[in-house]
Amino acid sequence: YQSMIRRKISEGMLCVAGSQDDEDMLGFYLRHSWEKAFYVRELTAEGGALPEAPAADWAAPEEYIALRETALRGTDHYVFDLPYVQMQEYVSRDGGGGLLKFPGSGACCAVAAYEDDETVLLSELLAPDDRLLDCAAGVLRRMPARRIRLRLPAWSGAAVGAELVPYA
């Protein structure tokens, strides 16, 4: 990690962020001079408790980038280029999911994969707070599961009870 940091800083990068897979990795990073840099909100919901919603549709990487940038306009955020989003689509499809859009819901989008046999993980869900649970329900119509775990930007989801957790 120290070598990577030195190399990236010598290339002009101002900071390096890494996300932990679990609490043990967070502890590892913190013991090696890393600091908590940013947070996300997370919420797990049982499928039966979600509202009825139209199903989500698969989105091509180019569509996803356009929806994402529209949803994040006016916020500080990472801009993902096409090769990165193509890689994310590949990883998500390997987990039984993919990139999703929500027709008729404006600039709403999500990255989904099965976390286990009973849970869909939305590793990114971008939607207005009043549409978050509708979008989650739409994903479960496309990817049936008992529950869904939402990962949202830190500024989103407080109204639906999503908890703020360290992410990187």
Side-chain angles (χ1 to χ4, degrees):
Y1 289 111
Q2 296 302 327
S3 172
M4 176 190 64
I5 292 169
R6 283 190 299 276
R7 187 175 71 250
K8 290 299 182 185
I9 289 175
S10 74
E11 294 171 0
M13 189 165 287
L14 299 176
C15 70
V16 176
S19 61
Q20 71 280 353
D21 286 338
D22 56 42
E23 288 299 316
D24 291 337
M25 284 304 296
L26 177 60
F28 173 82
Y29 289 147
L30 295 174
R31 285 191 306 276
H32 288 86
S33 76
W34 290 66
E35 297 177 17
K36 293 178 187 175
F38 67 91
Y39 293 76
V40 296
R41 287 194 184 271
E42 290 189 352
L43 172 71
T44 300
E46 296 297 317
L50 294 173
E52 288 291 321
D57 288 332
W58 300 118
E62 297 83 358
E63 289 178 289
Y64 190 83
I65 289 170
L67 287 167
R68 186 177 190 278
E69 285 304 307
T70 300
L72 292 172
R73 185 175 294 131
T75 68
D76 290 332
H77 64 279
Y78 290 111
V79 175
F80 297 149
D81 61 8
L82 183 59
Y84 178 86
V85 174
Q86 288 170 326
M87 179 206 59
Q88 185 63 56
E89 179 186 38
Y90 175 81
V91 169
S92 298
R93 288 214 185 274
D94 190 51
L99 308 175
L100 294 156
K101 60 184 176 181
F102 302 88
S105 295
C108 302
C109 54
V111 177
Y114 283 98
E115 187 171 52
D116 57 42
D117 291 342
E118 297 186 344
T119 309
V120 170
L121 169 64
L122 296 183
S123 59
E124 178 172 75
L125 173 59
L126 301 174
D129 275 11
D130 64 345
R131 299 285 302 157
L132 290 171
L133 297 181
D134 295 342
C135 291
V139 172
L140 288 182
R141 288 194 59 200
R142 173 67 61 181
M143 299 173 61
R146 188 171 146 224
R147 74 181 65 85
I148 193 161
R149 189 159 70 97
L150 314 177
R151 186 173 295 145
L152 312 162
W155 43 263
S156 176
V160 295
E163 293 183 34
L164 198 61
V165 297
Y167 185 71

